[in-house]
Coordinates of all heavy atoms in Angstrom, one line a residue:
M124 N 35.6 7.4 -20.1 CA 34.7 6.6 -19.3 C 33.9 5.7 -20.2 O 33.5 6.2 -21.3 CB 33.8 7.4 -18.4 CG 34.5 8.2 -17.4 SD 33.4 9.2 -16.3 CE 32.5 7.9 -15.4
V125 N 33.7 4.5 -19.8 CA 32.9 3.6 -20.6 C 31.6 3.3 -19.9 O 31.6 2.9 -18.7 CB 33.6 2.3 -21.0 CG1 32.8 1.4 -21.9 CG2 35.0 2.6 -21.6
F126 N 30.5 3.5 -20.5 CA 29.2 3.1 -20.0 C 28.7 1.9 -20.7 O 28.5 1.9 -21.9 CB 28.2 4.3 -20.1 CG 28.6 5.5 -19.3 CD1 29.5 6.4 -19.8 CD2 28.1 5.7 -18.0 CE1 30.0 7.6 -19.1 CE2 28.5 6.8 -17.3 CZ 29.4 7.7 -17.8
Y127 N 28.4 0.8 -19.9 CA 27.9 -0.4 -20.5 C 26.4 -0.5 -20.2 O 26.0 -0.3 -19.1 CB 28.7 -1.6 -19.9 CG 30.1 -1.7 -20.2 CD1 31.0 -1.2 -19.3 CD2 30.6 -2.2 -21.3 CE1 32.4 -1.2 -19.5 CE2 32.0 -2.3 -21.7 CZ 32.9 -1.7 -20.7 OH 34.2 -1.8 -21.0
S128 N 25.6 -1.0 -21.1 CA 24.2 -1.1 -21.0 C 23.9 -2.6 -20.8 O 24.6 -3.5 -21.2 CB 23.5 -0.7 -22.3 OG 22.2 -0.9 -22.3
F129 N 22.7 -2.8 -20.1 CA 22.3 -4.2 -20.0 C 21.8 -4.7 -21.4 O 21.7 -5.9 -21.6 CB 21.0 -4.2 -19.1 CG 21.3 -4.3 -17.7 CD1 21.1 -3.1 -16.9 CD2 21.8 -5.4 -17.0 CE1 21.4 -3.2 -15.5 CE2 22.0 -5.5 -15.7 CZ 21.8 -4.3 -14.9
A130 N 21.6 -3.8 -22.3 CA 21.0 -4.1 -23.7 C 22.1 -4.6 -24.6 O 23.2 -4.2 -24.6 CB 20.3 -2.9 -24.2
E131 N 21.7 -5.5 -25.5 CA 22.5 -5.9 -26.6 C 22.4 -4.8 -27.7 O 21.5 -4.1 -27.8 CB 22.0 -7.2 -27.2 CG 22.1 -8.4 -26.2 CD 23.6 -8.8 -25.9 OE1 24.4 -8.6 -26.7 OE2 23.8 -9.4 -24.8
G132 N 23.5 -4.7 -28.5 CA 23.5 -3.8 -29.6 C 22.5 -4.2 -30.6 O 21.8 -5.2 -30.5
A133 N 22.3 -3.4 -31.7 CA 21.3 -3.6 -32.7 C 21.4 -5.0 -33.3 O 20.3 -5.5 -33.8 CB 21.4 -2.5 -33.7
G134 N 22.5 -5.5 -33.5 CA 22.7 -6.9 -34.0 C 22.4 -8.0 -33.1 O 22.6 -9.1 -33.5
G135 N 22.0 -7.7 -31.8 CA 21.7 -8.7 -30.9 C 23.0 -9.3 -30.3 O 24.1 -8.7 -30.4
A136 N 22.8 -10.5 -29.8 CA 24.0 -11.2 -29.1 C 25.2 -11.5 -30.0 O 26.3 -11.6 -29.5 CB 23.5 -12.5 -28.5
T137 N 24.9 -11.5 -31.3 CA 26.0 -11.7 -32.2 C 27.0 -10.6 -32.3 O 28.1 -10.8 -32.8 CB 25.4 -12.1 -33.7 OG1 24.7 -10.9 -34.2 CG2 24.6 -13.3 -33.7
E138 N 26.6 -9.4 -32.0 CA 27.4 -8.3 -32.1 C 27.8 -7.7 -30.8 O 28.5 -6.7 -30.7 CB 26.8 -7.2 -33.0 CG 26.7 -7.6 -34.5 CD 26.3 -6.5 -35.4 OE1 26.1 -5.4 -35.1 OE2 26.0 -6.9 -36.6
G139 N 27.3 -8.2 -29.7 CA 27.7 -7.8 -28.3 C 26.8 -6.7 -27.7 O 25.9 -6.3 -28.2
R140 N 27.2 -6.5 -26.5 CA 26.6 -5.6 -25.5 C 26.8 -4.1 -26.0 O 27.8 -3.7 -26.4 CB 27.0 -5.8 -24.1 CG 26.4 -4.9 -23.2 CD 26.7 -5.3 -21.8 NE 28.0 -5.3 -21.4 CZ 28.5 -5.2 -20.1 NH1 27.7 -5.3 -19.1 NH2 29.8 -5.2 -19.9
Y141 N 25.7 -3.3 -25.9 CA 25.8 -1.9 -26.2 C 26.7 -1.2 -25.2 O 26.6 -1.4 -23.9 CB 24.4 -1.3 -26.2 CG 24.5 0.2 -26.7 CD1 24.3 0.4 -28.0 CD2 24.7 1.2 -25.9 CE1 24.4 1.7 -28.6 CE2 24.7 2.5 -26.4 CZ 24.6 2.8 -27.7 OH 24.7 4.0 -28.2
Y142 N 27.6 -0.3 -25.7 CA 28.4 0.5 -24.8 C 28.8 1.8 -25.5 O 28.6 1.9 -26.7 CB 29.7 -0.3 -24.4 CG 30.7 -0.3 -25.5 CD1 31.8 0.7 -25.5 CD2 30.6 -1.2 -26.6 CE1 32.7 0.7 -26.6 CE2 31.5 -1.1 -27.6 CZ 32.6 -0.3 -27.6 OH 33.5 -0.2 -28.7
D143 N 29.2 2.8 -24.7 CA 29.6 4.0 -25.3 C 30.7 4.7 -24.4 O 30.7 4.6 -23.2 CB 28.5 5.0 -25.5 CG 28.7 5.9 -26.7 OD1 29.5 6.8 -26.5 OD2 28.1 5.5 -27.8
C144 N 31.6 5.3 -25.1 CA 32.7 6.0 -24.4 C 32.5 7.5 -24.4 O 32.0 8.1 -25.3 CB 34.0 5.8 -25.1 SG 34.5 4.0 -25.1
H145 N 32.8 8.2 -23.2 CA 32.6 9.6 -23.0 C 34.0 10.2 -22.4 O 34.6 9.5 -21.6 CB 31.5 9.9 -22.1 CG 30.2 9.6 -22.8 ND1 29.4 10.6 -23.3 CD2 29.5 8.4 -23.0 CE1 28.2 10.0 -23.8 NE2 28.4 8.7 -23.6
K146 N 34.2 11.4 -22.8 CA 35.4 12.1 -22.1 C 35.1 12.3 -20.7 O 34.0 12.9 -20.3 CB 35.7 13.4 -22.8 CG 36.2 13.3 -24.2 CD 36.4 14.7 -24.8 CE 37.1 14.6 -26.1 NZ 37.5 16.0 -26.6
I147 N 36.1 12.1 -19.8 CA 35.9 12.3 -18.4 C 35.6 13.8 -18.1 O 34.9 14.1 -17.2 CB 37.1 11.7 -17.6 CG1 36.7 11.7 -16.1 CG2 38.3 12.6 -17.8 CD1 37.6 10.8 -15.3
E148 N 36.2 14.7 -18.9 CA 36.0 16.1 -18.7 C 34.5 16.4 -18.9 O 34.0 17.4 -18.2 CB 36.8 16.9 -19.8 CG 38.3 16.8 -19.7 CD 38.8 15.6 -20.4 OE1 38.2 15.0 -21.3 OE2 39.9 15.1 -20.0
H149 N 33.8 15.7 -19.7 CA 32.4 16.0 -19.8 C 31.6 15.6 -18.5 O 30.5 16.2 -18.3 CB 31.8 15.2 -21.0 CG 32.1 15.8 -22.3 ND1 31.6 15.3 -23.5 CD2 33.0 16.7 -22.7 CE1 32.1 15.9 -24.5 NE2 33.0 16.8 -24.0
M150 N 32.1 14.7 -17.8 CA 31.4 14.2 -16.6 C 31.4 15.4 -15.5 O 30.5 15.3 -14.6 CB 32.0 13.0 -16.0 CG 32.0 11.8 -17.0 SD 30.4 11.3 -17.5 CE 30.5 11.8 -19.3
H151 N 32.2 16.4 -15.6 CA 32.2 17.5 -14.7 C 31.2 18.6 -15.0 O 31.0 19.5 -14.3 CB 33.6 18.1 -14.6 CG 34.6 17.2 -14.1 ND1 34.8 17.0 -12.7 CD2 35.6 16.5 -14.6 CE1 35.8 16.0 -12.5 NE2 36.3 15.8 -13.6
D152 N 30.7 18.5 -16.2 CA 29.7 19.5 -16.7 C 28.4 19.4 -15.9 O 27.9 18.3 -15.7 CB 29.5 19.3 -18.2 CG 28.7 20.4 -18.8 OD1 27.5 20.6 -18.5 OD2 29.3 21.1 -19.6
P153 N 27.9 20.5 -15.5 CA 26.7 20.5 -14.7 C 25.4 19.9 -15.4 O 24.4 19.6 -14.7 CB 26.4 22.0 -14.3 CG 27.3 22.7 -15.1 CD 28.4 21.9 -15.7
T154 N 25.5 19.8 -16.7 CA 24.3 19.3 -17.4 C 24.5 17.7 -17.6 O 23.6 17.1 -18.1 CB 24.2 19.9 -18.8 OG1 25.4 19.6 -19.6 CG2 23.9 21.4 -18.7
C155 N 25.6 17.2 -17.2 CA 25.8 15.7 -17.2 C 25.3 15.1 -16.0 O 25.6 15.5 -14.8 CB 27.3 15.4 -17.5 SG 27.6 13.7 -17.7
L156 N 24.5 14.0 -16.1 CA 24.0 13.3 -14.9 C 23.7 11.9 -15.2 O 23.6 11.4 -16.3 CB 22.8 14.0 -14.3 CG 21.6 14.3 -15.2 CD1 20.7 13.0 -15.1 CD2 20.9 15.5 -14.8
L157 N 23.6 11.1 -14.1 CA 23.1 9.7 -14.1 C 21.7 9.8 -13.6 O 21.6 10.1 -12.4 CB 24.0 8.8 -13.4 CG 25.4 8.5 -14.1 CD1 26.2 7.8 -13.1 CD2 25.2 7.7 -15.3
A158 N 20.7 9.5 -14.3 CA 19.3 9.7 -13.9 C 18.8 8.3 -13.5 O 18.9 7.3 -14.1 CB 18.5 10.2 -15.0
Y159 N 18.2 8.3 -12.3 CA 17.5 7.1 -11.7 C 16.0 7.5 -11.4 O 15.2 6.6 -11.1 CB 18.1 6.6 -10.5 CG 18.2 7.6 -9.3 CD1 17.2 7.7 -8.4 CD2 19.4 8.4 -9.2 CE1 17.3 8.7 -7.5 CE2 19.5 9.4 -8.2 CZ 18.4 9.4 -7.3 OH 18.5 10.4 -6.3
E160 N 15.6 8.8 -11.7 CA 14.3 9.2 -11.6 C 14.0 10.3 -12.6 O 14.9 10.9 -13.1 CB 13.9 9.6 -10.2 CG 14.6 10.8 -9.7 CD 14.1 11.2 -8.2 OE1 13.6 10.3 -7.5 OE2 14.4 12.3 -7.8
M161 N 12.7 10.5 -12.9 CA 12.3 11.5 -13.8 C 11.0 12.1 -13.3 O 10.1 11.4 -12.9 CB 12.1 10.9 -15.2 CG 11.8 12.0 -16.3 SD 11.7 11.2 -17.9 CE 10.2 10.4 -17.9
N162 N 10.9 13.4 -13.2 CA 9.7 14.1 -12.6 C 9.3 13.6 -11.3 O 8.1 13.4 -11.0 CB 8.6 14.0 -13.6 CG 8.9 14.7 -15.0 OD1 9.6 15.6 -15.0 ND2 8.4 14.1 -16.1
G163 N 10.3 13.3 -10.4 CA 10.0 12.9 -9.1 C 9.6 11.4 -8.9 O 9.3 11.0 -7.8
Q164 N 9.6 10.7 -10.0 CA 9.2 9.2 -10.0 C 10.4 8.4 -10.4 O 11.2 8.8 -11.2 CB 8.0 9.0 -11.0 CG 6.8 9.8 -10.7 CD 6.2 9.4 -9.3 OE1 6.1 8.2 -9.1 NE2 5.8 10.4 -8.5
P165 N 10.5 7.2 -10.0 CA 11.5 6.3 -10.4 C 11.5 6.2 -11.9 O 10.4 6.2 -12.6 CB 11.2 4.9 -9.8 CG 10.3 5.2 -8.6 CD 9.5 6.5 -9.0
L166 N 12.7 6.2 -12.5 CA 12.8 6.1 -14.0 C 12.2 4.8 -14.4 O 12.5 3.7 -13.8 CB 14.3 6.1 -14.3 CG 14.7 6.3 -15.8 CD1 14.2 7.7 -16.3 CD2 16.2 6.2 -15.9
N167 N 11.4 4.7 -15.5 CA 10.8 3.5 -16.0 C 11.7 2.9 -17.0 O 12.6 3.5 -17.5 CB 9.3 3.7 -16.4 CG 9.3 4.6 -17.7 OD1 10.1 4.6 -18.6 ND2 8.3 5.5 -17.7
E168 N 11.4 1.7 -17.3 CA 12.2 0.9 -18.3 C 12.4 1.6 -19.7 O 13.4 1.6 -20.3 CB 11.7 -0.5 -18.4 CG 12.7 -1.4 -19.2 CD 12.3 -2.8 -19.2 OE1 11.5 -3.3 -18.3 OE2 12.7 -3.5 -20.2
A169 N 11.2 2.1 -20.1 CA 11.2 2.8 -21.4 C 12.1 4.0 -21.5 O 12.6 4.3 -22.6 CB 9.8 3.2 -21.8
H170 N 12.3 4.6 -20.4 CA 13.2 5.7 -20.3 C 14.6 5.5 -19.9 O 15.5 6.3 -19.7 CB 12.6 6.9 -19.5 CG 11.5 7.6 -20.1 ND1 10.2 7.3 -19.7 CD2 11.5 8.5 -21.1 CE1 9.4 8.1 -20.5 NE2 10.1 8.7 -21.4
G171 N 14.9 4.1 -19.6 CA 16.3 3.7 -19.4 C 16.6 3.2 -18.0 O 17.7 3.1 -17.6
A172 N 15.5 2.9 -17.2 CA 15.8 2.3 -15.9 C 16.7 1.1 -15.9 O 16.6 0.3 -16.9 CB 14.5 2.0 -15.1
P173 N 17.5 0.8 -15.0 CA 17.6 1.4 -13.7 C 18.4 2.8 -13.7 O 18.2 3.6 -12.7 CB 18.3 0.4 -12.8 CG 19.2 -0.3 -13.7 CD 18.4 -0.3 -15.0
L174 N 19.2 3.0 -14.6 CA 20.1 4.2 -14.6 C 20.3 4.6 -16.1 O 20.6 3.7 -17.0 CB 21.4 3.9 -13.9 CG 22.4 4.9 -13.5 CD1 21.6 5.8 -12.4 CD2 23.6 4.4 -12.9
R175 N 20.2 5.9 -16.3 CA 20.5 6.4 -17.7 C 21.5 7.5 -17.7 O 21.4 8.4 -16.8 CB 19.1 6.9 -18.3 CG 19.4 7.4 -19.7 CD 18.1 7.9 -20.3 NE 18.4 8.3 -21.7 CZ 17.4 8.4 -22.6 NH1 16.1 8.2 -22.3 NH2 17.7 8.9 -23.8
L176 N 22.4 7.5 -18.6 CA 23.3 8.6 -18.7 C 22.7 9.7 -19.5 O 22.1 9.5 -20.6 CB 24.6 8.1 -19.5 CG 25.6 9.2 -19.8 CD1 26.2 9.9 -18.6 CD2 26.7 8.7 -20.8
R177 N 22.8 11.0 -19.0 CA 22.4 12.2 -19.8 C 23.7 13.0 -19.8 O 24.2 13.5 -18.8 CB 21.4 12.9 -19.1 CG 20.0 12.2 -19.0 CD 19.4 12.0 -20.4 NE 19.3 13.2 -21.2 CZ 18.9 13.3 -22.4 NH1 18.7 12.2 -23.0 NH2 18.9 14.4 -23.0
N178 N 24.3 13.2 -21.1 CA 25.4 14.0 -21.3 C 25.1 14.9 -22.4 O 25.1 14.6 -23.5 CB 26.6 13.1 -21.6 CG 27.9 13.9 -21.9 OD1 27.9 15.2 -21.9 ND2 28.9 13.3 -22.3
E179 N 24.7 16.1 -22.0 CA 24.1 17.1 -23.0 C 25.2 17.7 -23.9 O 24.8 18.4 -24.9 CB 23.4 18.2 -22.3 CG 22.2 17.7 -21.4 CD 21.2 16.9 -22.2 OE1 20.9 17.2 -23.4 OE2 20.7 15.9 -21.7
R180 N 26.4 17.3 -23.7 CA 27.5 17.8 -24.7 C 27.7 16.7 -25.8 O 28.6 16.9 -26.6 CB 28.8 17.9 -23.9 CG 28.6 19.1 -22.8 CD 29.9 19.3 -22.2 NE 30.9 19.9 -23.0 CZ 32.1 20.1 -22.7 NH1 32.5 20.0 -21.4 NH2 33.0 20.6 -23.6
E181 N 26.9 15.7 -25.8 CA 27.0 14.7 -26.9 C 25.6 14.5 -27.6 O 24.6 14.9 -27.1 CB 27.3 13.3 -26.2 CG 28.7 13.3 -25.6 CD 29.8 13.3 -26.5 OE1 29.6 13.1 -27.7 OE2 31.0 13.4 -26.1
L182 N 25.8 13.8 -28.8 CA 24.5 13.5 -29.5 C 23.6 12.5 -28.9 O 24.1 11.8 -27.9 CB 25.0 13.0 -30.9 CG 25.8 14.0 -31.8 CD1 26.3 13.2 -33.0 CD2 24.8 15.1 -32.2
G183 N 22.4 12.5 -29.3 CA 21.4 11.7 -28.6 C 21.7 10.2 -28.5 O 21.4 9.5 -27.5
F184 N 22.3 9.6 -29.6 CA 22.6 8.2 -29.5 C 23.7 7.8 -28.5 O 23.8 6.6 -28.2 CB 22.9 7.7 -30.9 CG 24.4 8.1 -31.4 CD1 25.5 7.4 -31.1 CD2 24.5 9.2 -32.3 CE1 26.7 7.7 -31.6 CE2 25.7 9.6 -32.7 CZ 26.9 8.8 -32.4
K185 N 24.3 8.8 -27.9 CA 25.4 8.5 -26.9 C 24.8 8.6 -25.5 O 25.5 8.3 -24.6 CB 26.5 9.4 -27.1 CG 27.2 9.3 -28.4 CD 28.5 10.1 -28.6 CE 29.7 9.6 -27.9 NZ 30.1 8.3 -28.3
Q186 N 23.4 8.8 -25.3 CA 22.8 8.8 -24.1 C 22.5 7.4 -23.6 O 21.3 6.9 -23.9 CB 21.6 9.7 -24.1 CG 21.7 11.1 -24.8 CD 22.8 12.0 -24.1 OE1 23.0 12.0 -22.9 NE2 23.6 12.7 -25.0
V187 N 23.3 6.7 -23.0 CA 23.2 5.3 -22.7 C 22.1 5.0 -21.8 O 22.0 5.6 -20.7 CB 24.5 4.7 -22.2 CG1 24.4 3.2 -21.9 CG2 25.7 5.0 -23.2
K188 N 21.2 4.2 -22.2 CA 20.1 3.7 -21.3 C 20.4 2.4 -20.7 O 21.3 1.7 -21.1 CB 18.8 3.4 -22.2 CG 18.2 4.6 -22.8 CD 17.0 4.2 -23.5 CE 16.1 5.4 -24.1 NZ 15.0 4.9 -24.9
W189 N 19.8 2.1 -19.6 CA 19.9 0.8 -18.9 C 21.4 0.5 -18.5 O 21.9 -0.6 -18.7 CB 19.4 -0.4 -19.8 CG 18.0 -0.1 -20.4 CD1 16.8 0.2 -19.7 CD2 17.7 0.1 -21.8 NE1 15.8 0.4 -20.6 CE2 16.4 0.4 -21.9 CE3 18.5 0.0 -23.0 CZ2 15.7 0.6 -23.1 CZ3 17.8 0.3 -24.2 CH2 16.5 0.6 -24.2
V190 N 22.0 1.6 -17.9 CA 23.4 1.4 -17.5 C 23.6 0.3 -16.5 O 22.9 0.3 -15.4 CB 23.9 2.7 -16.9 CG1 25.4 2.6 -16.4 CG2 23.9 3.8 -18.0
E191 N 24.4 -0.6 -16.9 CA 24.8 -1.8 -15.9 C 26.1 -1.5 -15.3 O 26.3 -1.9 -14.1 CB 24.9 -3.1 -16.8 CG 25.3 -4.3 -15.9 CD 25.4 -5.5 -16.7 OE1 25.5 -5.4 -18.0 OE2 25.4 -6.6 -16.1
A192 N 27.1 -0.9 -15.9 CA 28.4 -0.8 -15.4 C 29.0 0.5 -16.0 O 28.8 0.9 -17.0 CB 29.3 -2.0 -15.7
I193 N 30.0 1.0 -15.2 CA 30.8 2.2 -15.7 C 32.3 1.8 -15.4 O 32.6 1.2 -14.4 CB 30.4 3.4 -14.9 CG1 28.9 3.8 -15.1 CG2 31.3 4.6 -15.3 CD1 28.5 4.8 -14.1
E194 N 33.1 2.1 -16.4 CA 34.5 1.7 -16.3 C 35.4 2.9 -16.7 O 35.1 3.6 -17.7 CB 34.8 0.5 -17.2 CG 36.3 0.0 -17.1 CD 36.5 -1.2 -18.0 OE1 35.7 -1.4 -19.0 OE2 37.5 -1.8 -17.8
F195 N 36.4 3.2 -15.9 CA 37.4 4.2 -16.3 C 38.5 3.5 -17.0 O 39.1 2.5 -16.5 CB 38.0 4.9 -15.0 CG 37.0 5.7 -14.3 CD1 36.1 5.2 -13.3 CD2 36.8 7.1 -14.5 CE1 35.2 5.8 -12.7 CE2 35.9 7.8 -13.8 CZ 35.1 7.2 -12.9
V196 N 38.8 4.0 -18.2 CA 39.9 3.3 -19.0 C 40.8 4.5 -19.6 O 40.4 5.6 -19.7 CB 39.3 2.6 -20.3 CG1 38.4 1.4 -19.8 CG2 38.4 3.5 -21.2
E197 N 42.0 4.1 -19.8 CA 43.0 5.0 -20.4 C 42.7 5.2 -21.8 O 42.9 6.3 -22.4 CB 44.4 4.5 -20.1 CG 45.5 5.4 -20.6 CD 46.8 4.9 -20.3 OE1 47.0 4.1 -19.3 OE2 47.8 5.3 -20.9
S198 N 42.3 4.1 -22.5 CA 42.0 4.2 -24.0 C 40.9 3.2 -24.3 O 40.7 2.2 -23.6 CB 43.3 3.7 -24.8 OG 43.0 3.5 -26.1
F199 N 40.1 3.5 -25.3 CA 39.1 2.6 -25.7 C 39.5 1.7 -27.0 O 38.7 1.0 -27.5 CB 37.8 3.3 -26.1 CG 37.8 4.4 -27.0 CD1 38.1 4.2 -28.4 CD2 37.7 5.7 -26.6 CE1 38.1 5.2 -29.3 CE2 37.9 6.8 -27.5 CZ 38.0 6.5 -28.9
S200 N 40.7 1.7 -27.3 CA 41.3 1.0 -28.4 C 41.1 -0.5 -28.4 O 41.0 -1.2 -29.4 CB 42.7 1.3 -28.7 OG 43.6 0.9 -27.6
D201 N 41.0 -1.0 -27.1 CA 40.7 -2.5 -27.0 C 39.3 -2.8 -26.8 O 39.0 -4.0 -26.6 CB 41.6 -3.0 -25.9 CG 43.1 -3.0 -26.2 OD1 43.5 -3.1 -27.4 OD2 43.9 -2.8 -25.2
L202 N 38.4 -1.9 -26.8 CA 37.0 -2.2 -26.6 C 36.3 -2.3 -27.9 O 36.4 -1.5 -28.8 CB 36.3 -1.1 -25.8 CG 36.8 -0.8 -24.4 CD1 36.2 0.5 -23.9 CD2 36.5 -1.9 -23.5
G203 N 35.5 -3.3 -28.1 CA 34.7 -3.6 -29.3 C 35.7 -3.6 -30.5 O 36.7 -4.3 -30.4
F204 N 35.4 -2.7 -31.5 CA 36.4 -2.6 -32.6 C 37.3 -1.4 -32.5 O 37.9 -1.0 -33.5 CB 35.6 -2.6 -34.0 CG 34.8 -3.8 -34.2 CD1 33.5 -3.6 -34.8 CD2 35.2 -5.0 -34.0 CE1 32.7 -4.7 -35.1 CE2 34.5 -6.1 -34.2 CZ 33.2 -6.0 -34.8
G205 N 37.3 -0.8 -31.2 CA 38.3 0.2 -31.0 C 37.9 1.6 -31.5 O 38.7 2.5 -31.6
Q206 N 36.5 1.8 -31.8 CA 36.1 3.1 -32.4 C 35.5 4.0 -31.4 O 35.1 5.1 -31.7 CB 35.1 2.8 -33.6 CG 35.7 1.9 -34.6 CD 37.0 2.6 -35.2 OE1 36.9 3.8 -35.7 NE2 38.0 1.9 -35.4
G207 N 35.2 3.6 -30.1 CA 34.7 4.5 -29.1 C 33.3 4.2 -28.8 O 32.8 5.0 -28.0
G208 N 32.7 3.2 -29.2 CA 31.2 3.0 -28.9 C 30.7 1.9 -29.8 O 31.2 1.7 -30.9
Y209 N 29.5 1.4 -29.4 CA 28.8 0.3 -30.2 C 28.5 0.9 -31.6 O 28.8 0.3 -32.6 CB 27.6 -0.2 -29.5 CG 26.9 -1.3 -30.3 CD1 27.3 -2.6 -30.1 CD2 25.9 -0.9 -31.3 CE1 26.7 -3.6 -30.9 CE2 25.4 -1.9 -32.0 CZ 25.7 -3.2 -31.9 OH 25.2 -4.2 -32.6
N210 N 27.8 2.1 -31.6 CA 27.5 2.8 -32.9 C 28.6 3.0 -33.8 O 28.6 2.8 -34.9 CB 26.6 4.0 -32.6 CG 25.2 3.7 -32.2 OD1 24.6 2.7 -32.6 ND2 24.7 4.5 -31.4
E211 N 29.7 3.6 -33.1 CA 30.9 3.9 -33.9 C 31.5 2.6 -34.5 O 32.1 2.6 -35.6 CB 31.9 4.6 -33.0 CG 31.5 6.0 -32.6 CD 30.7 6.1 -31.4 OE1 30.2 5.0 -30.9 OE2 30.4 7.2 -30.9
D212 N 31.5 1.5 -33.8 CA 32.0 0.2 -34.3 C 31.2 -0.3 -35.4 O 31.7 -1.0 -36.3 CB 32.0 -0.8 -33.1 CG 33.0 -0.6 -32.0 OD1 33.9 0.2 -32.3 OD2 32.9 -1.3 -31.0
H213 N 29.9 -0.2 -35.4 CA 29.0 -0.8 -36.3 C 28.3 0.1 -37.4 O 27.6 -0.4 -38.3 CB 27.9 -1.6 -35.6 CG 28.5 -2.7 -34.7 ND1 28.9 -3.9 -35.2 CD2 28.7 -2.6 -33.4 CE1 29.4 -4.6 -34.2 NE2 29.3 -3.9 -33.1
E214 N 28.5 1.4 -37.3 CA 27.8 2.3 -38.2 C 28.8 3.4 -38.6 O 30.0 3.4 -38.1 CB 26.6 2.9 -37.6 CG 25.5 1.9 -37.2 CD 24.4 2.5 -36.4 OE1 24.1 3.7 -36.6 OE2 23.8 1.8 -35.7
F215 N 28.4 4.2 -39.4 CA 29.3 5.3 -40.0 C 29.3 6.5 -39.0 O 28.6 7.5 -39.3 CB 29.1 5.6 -41.4 CG 30.1 6.5 -42.0 CD1 31.3 6.1 -42.3 CD2 29.8 7.9 -42.2 CE1 32.4 6.9 -42.8 CE2 30.7 8.8 -42.7 CZ 32.0 8.3 -43.0
Y216 N 30.0 6.4 -37.9 CA 30.1 7.6 -37.0 C 31.5 7.8 -36.6 O 32.2 6.7 -36.4 CB 29.2 7.4 -35.7 CG 27.8 7.3 -35.9 CD1 27.2 6.0 -35.7 CD2 27.0 8.4 -36.2 CE1 25.7 6.0 -35.8 CE2 25.7 8.3 -36.4 CZ 25.1 7.0 -36.2 OH 23.7 7.0 -36.4
G217 N 32.0 9.0 -36.4 CA 33.2 9.2 -35.8 C 33.1 9.4 -34.4 O 32.0 9.8 -33.9
Y218 N 34.1 9.0 -33.5 CA 34.0 9.2 -32.1 C 33.6 10.6 -31.7 O 32.9 10.8 -30.8 CB 35.4 8.8 -31.5 CG 35.5 9.0 -30.0 CD1 34.6 8.3 -29.1 CD2 36.4 9.9 -29.5 CE1 34.7 8.6 -27.8 CE2 36.5 10.1 -28.1 CZ 35.6 9.5 -27.2 OH 35.7 9.7 -25.9
R219 N 34.2 11.6 -32.3 CA 34.0 12.9 -31.9 C 33.1 13.7 -32.9 O 33.4 14.8 -33.5 CB 35.2 13.7 -31.8 CG 36.1 13.2 -30.7 CD 35.8 13.6 -29.3 NE 34.4 13.6 -28.8 CZ 34.0 12.9 -27.8 NH1 34.7 12.1 -27.1 NH2 32.7 13.1 -27.5
M220 N 31.9 13.2 -33.3 CA 31.0 13.9 -34.2 C 30.5 15.2 -33.5 O 30.2 15.2 -32.3 CB 29.7 13.0 -34.5 CG 30.1 11.7 -35.3 SD 30.8 12.1 -36.8 CE 29.5 12.8 -37.8
P221 N 30.5 16.3 -34.2 CA 30.0 17.6 -33.7 C 28.5 17.6 -33.4 O 27.9 16.9 -34.1 CB 30.5 18.6 -34.7 CG 30.5 17.8 -36.0 CD 30.9 16.4 -35.6
I222 N 28.1 18.3 -32.5 CA 26.7 18.5 -32.3 C 26.1 19.5 -33.3 O 26.7 20.4 -33.6 CB 26.4 19.0 -30.8 CG1 26.8 17.9 -29.8 CG2 25.0 19.4 -30.6 CD1 26.6 18.2 -28.4

């Protein structure tokens, strides 16, 4: 699954929109959720409004804030530089970094 953010990546518009890929199997985990509120209040922008992904089976940088769109894909090889996420494309991360 691909989660696209309203936010641009760290390089701004020159490097594209922030996105991250997650295994669909993780979406069935009871600790995975899409949050639109926190502590009974609407989620604020600083915490990722309008929608934020929480996938506790992944590292913190993969918790996409400001979710604009979600896409089901067979492969992420054609997204960005094909590494599985904005950070993986632009920094030294592997797609399946262990926690």
Side-chain angles (χ1 to χ4, degrees):
M124 294 181 68
V125 185
F126 294 85
Y127 297 96
S128 177
F129 280 104
E131 296 291 334
T137 61
E138 293 187 8
R140 179 166 64 160
Y141 188 89
Y142 76 97
D143 210 281
C144 299
H145 290 257
K146 289 183 174 184
I147 196 164
E148 295 84 21
H149 288 185
M150 301 303 110
H151 294 284
D152 192 287
T154 63
C155 182
L156 56 92
L157 289 169
Y159 58 88
E160 65 181 16
M161 184 172 78
N162 299 327
Q164 300 294 316
L166 194 64
N167 64 42
E168 188 175 336
H170 286 105
L174 196 62
R175 179 180 185 162
L176 171 66
R177 294 296 305 172
N178 179 356
E179 301 305 322
R180 296 182 67 183
E181 295 287 352
L182 295 169
F184 72 86
K185 297 185 77 65
Q186 312 302 320
V187 180
K188 291 182 178 179
W189 313 295
V190 173
E191 177 182 20
I193 302 168
E194 181 179 21
F195 293 86
V196 296
E197 185 175 337
S198 168
F199 54 72
S200 61
D201 293 329
L202 297 169
F204 298 142
Q206 300 301 308
Y209 182 89
N210 286 325
E211 291 86 350
D212 287 347
H213 298 283
E214 300 176 24
F215 187 72
Y216 295 109
Y218 173 64
R219 297 279 44 120
M220 294 299 291
I222 293 179

